[in-house]
């Protein structure tokens, strides 16, 4: 998966927050709320998802480096890590 229980809990919290924000955005659109308010909240959802993704990638990087330092097999190679970071950019 993506790491230890603390990392998983942090990611899940961020995703749940984003889920709630997205539900709020949907409600705002259905209610015909001001475009500026909707876009502001949509940007917050996007940031929450980005932060969750970065946490997943950072945890993977930490595990990869730790695995290499311990003499174990690296879980991700450099090209895979680069691809993950670029996917979030």
């Amino acid at each position: 998966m993506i790491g230890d229980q603390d990392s998983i809990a942090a990611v899940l919290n961020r995703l749940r927050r984003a889920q709630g924000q997205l539900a709020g955005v949907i409600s705002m659109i259905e209610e015909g709320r001001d475009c500026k308010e909707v876009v502001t909240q949509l940007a917050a959802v996007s940031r929450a998802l980005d932060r969750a993704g970065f946490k997943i990638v950072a945890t993977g990087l930490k595990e990869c480096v730790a695995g290499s330092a311990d003499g174990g097999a690296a879980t991700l190679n450099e090209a895979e890590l680069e691809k993950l970071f670029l996917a979030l950019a």
Side-chain angles (χ1 to χ4, degrees):
M1 182 64 184
I2 61 168
D4 59 37
Q5 291 295 30
D6 291 338
S7 296
I8 292 169
V11 168
L12 288 173
N13 285 338
R14 288 179 181 171
L15 291 174
R16 287 185 183 109
R17 186 177 309 125
Q19 184 179 32
Q21 289 172 319
L22 184 57
V25 169
I26 292 168
S27 294
M28 291 172 75
I29 292 170
E30 290 173 343
E31 295 167 3
R33 299 274 293 270
D34 180 60
C35 177
K36 183 179 175 184
E37 293 175 27
V38 172
V39 171
T40 299
Q41 290 304 310
L42 195 55
V45 172
S46 180
R47 283 190 306 273
L49 291 173
D50 286 344
R51 290 178 62 88
F54 286 128
K55 179 69 173 174
I56 291 169
V57 172
T59 302
L61 177 60
K62 185 173 88 174
E63 289 176 359
C64 180
V65 170
S68 296
D70 294 341
T75 56
L76 296 171
N77 66 37
E78 185 177 340
E80 291 170 322
L81 285 171
E82 181 179 351
K83 186 176 179 180
L84 288 173
F85 276 114
L86 291 174
L88 294 170

